[in-house]
Amino acid sequence: MTTGIVSVAAWPFVALIITFFLVRGAIAYAHWRGMLDQPGQRRSHRIPTPRGGGIGLVLALLVCMPGALLSTQKAWTAPIVVSLEIGFALVALVGWWDDHRPLPVLPRFGAQLLAVLLFSSALLATGLSWWWLPLLLGAGAWSINLHNFMDGIDGLLAQQIIFVGAGLAWMSWSIGQLALAIGATAMAASALGFWLFNRPTARIFMGDVGSGSTGFLIFGLGAMLWGLDHALLWPVLILSSAFVLDATLTLVMRMLRGKRWYKPHREHLYQWMTRRGGTHGGTDVRYMAWNLLVAGPFAWLAFSHLNIALPITMAFYLSASAMWLLLKRRCMRRNLSKDRHVAA
């Protein structure tokens, strides 16, 4: 038994090593292909930086995730694992294409919906009600895109994947789901391998190949937990609150103001924090402080009291939304005199 656990636990280490070496290669490849993100009015970096480093994370997890999810006594069924892999690869493929040459919105979004549909269908086929399908489609598509939106400064997305992956692993382990715990740990370990090259000042950006696909994977692992116990959705949402709040409230505010919400911009709170004069590293620290000091403890509270997890999550998100609005207004006031807001 111990030997088996040690064998399965090796998957996160393998994911870390594969990611580390593939990202090194991705830096050279990006320079060779001229895949460089140039500084611009709607970007937060100041020097040309290679993109597409997320390919290392993607390839590592395509190898390690099936091993983690299929190698224990409580392994997941092959249809769920295969559909997760296919969906993950499909979102990554579309992102890799977009990193090389811009892809129109409709085919990109269509591929994302197809990926979510394949996985959601396999999950629901285990005996869950098919009435959940529209909600799963919406949640999966939004997770893919919100993680793409939040990949705007050095290190932020990578550290978020590490935190959420560790949280999902803890919850999975606590309910005796070893396979899912190892899979989530592998995701966190792979993100750590990428973060070593993406921390400020970044040597490479994740690119669409990594940001969208990891958003899909976070949705997939969270949905698998939800499939075991619907009440587990609430602590999962709290774990992801830093990104869910910033991306969702920013989108809603842009729509309410009549702006072209689908266009690139620099209106997320993390971008305003950086524009205010802060550094990428300083903003990363603030977001991780939220994760460790606020989101983590409240996720534990909801997980420990699943019978009242919904009201806990509602109170948490209402309070967090009010805090987001206050911080956003404060950042905008401080920047108004020296940095005119970029209207999309």
Side-chain angles (χ1 to χ4, degrees):
M1 177 67 176
T2 302
T3 303
I5 293 177
V6 171
S7 176
V8 174
W11 286 113
F13 179 74
V14 173
L16 170 65
I17 297 301
I18 293 177
T19 302
F20 180 85
F21 285 105
L22 288 180
V23 173
R24 287 178 63 93
I27 295 174
Y29 175 82
H31 280 289
W32 175 61
R33 289 297 302 266
M35 293 167 55
L36 303 177
D37 278 344
Q38 302 294 333
Q41 192 177 37
R42 291 188 172 93
R43 291 176 175 172
S44 300
H45 61 286
R46 298 181 179 179
I47 58 175
T49 306
R51 66 177 178 273
I55 188 65
L57 187 150
V58 168
L59 294 177
L61 290 178
L62 283 174
V63 171
C64 296
M65 190 60 68
L69 295 177
L70 294 172
S71 300
T72 66
Q73 292 181 344
K74 293 187 178 181
W76 289 82
T77 62
I80 291 179
V81 176
V82 170
S83 64
L84 182 70
E85 286 279 287
I86 293 175
F88 181 56
L90 180 57
V91 176
L93 179 62
V94 171
W96 185 242
W97 186 313
D98 201 48
D99 283 333
H100 286 76
R101 62 181 68 177
L103 194 64
V105 172
L106 287 181
R108 184 169 69 245
F109 187 64
Q112 293 170 358
L113 280 179
L114 177 59
V116 177
L117 176 63
L118 289 173
F119 169 74
S120 299
S121 298
L123 184 64
L124 295 177
T126 59
L128 300 172
S129 172
W130 286 91
W131 289 106
W132 291 111
L133 183 59
L135 289 177
L136 287 172
L137 287 175
W142 183 226
S143 182
I144 291 168
N145 285 281
L146 79 84
H147 285 88
N148 180 268
F149 298 158
M150 296 296 292
D151 184 27
I153 62 173
D154 300 349
L156 185 63
L157 176 56
Q159 73 173 28
Q160 181 72 7
I161 299 169
I162 295 170
F163 173 76
V164 174
L168 293 175
W170 159 67
M171 283 193 282
S172 301
W173 184 275
S174 298
I175 64 173
Q177 184 40 252
L178 177 61
L180 196 55
I182 298 301
T185 305
M187 180 178 71
S190 184
L192 175 60
F194 174 78
W195 177 85
L196 296 173
F197 299 93
N198 184 241
R199 68 187 190 274
T201 300
R203 294 173 58 187
I204 191 168
F205 295 151
M206 187 172 289
D208 288 350
V209 63
S211 59
S213 58
T214 52
F216 172 83
L217 194 56
I218 287 173
F219 156 75
L221 297 180
M224 290 161 75
L225 266 178
W226 166 83
L228 296 172
D229 185 340
H230 288 357
L232 290 173
L233 170 65
W234 310 121
V236 169
L237 281 178
I238 294 176
L239 276 180
S240 299
S241 60
F243 274 29
V244 172
L245 276 169
D246 200 357
T248 303
L249 291 178
T250 298
L251 177 65
V252 170
M253 296 297 290
R254 284 177 61 80
M255 294 176 71
L256 291 176
R257 291 172 180 170
K259 296 187 176 182
R260 290 179 290 179
W261 51 268
Y262 47 86
K263 292 291 185 180
H265 60 85
R266 287 200 302 163
E267 295 187 27
H268 292 286
L269 178 59
Y270 76 87
Q271 292 167 320
W272 275 107
M273 286 181 172
T274 306
R275 293 167 63 183
R276 191 184 65 181
T279 63
H280 289 216
T283 301
D284 289 349
V285 168
R286 293 183 183 94
Y287 271 71
M288 185 54 76
W290 170 269
N291 285 337
L292 295 176
L293 301 178
V294 183
F298 272 90
W300 170 83
L301 182 65
F303 181 76
S304 302
H305 301 81
L306 288 178
N307 58 320
I308 56 170
L310 174 57
I312 290 173
T313 305
M314 292 175 64
F316 173 85
Y317 263 85
L318 285 173
S319 302
S321 297
M323 184 179 297
W324 182 91
L325 288 170
L326 290 173
L327 288 173
K328 184 77 173 288
R329 290 178 180 177
R330 182 181 178 186
C331 289
M332 292 176 70
R333 282 199 303 267
R334 290 192 175 186
N335 278 274
L336 189 60
S337 61
K338 63 179 181 179
D339 186 7
R340 297 296 298 175
H341 185 67
V342 179

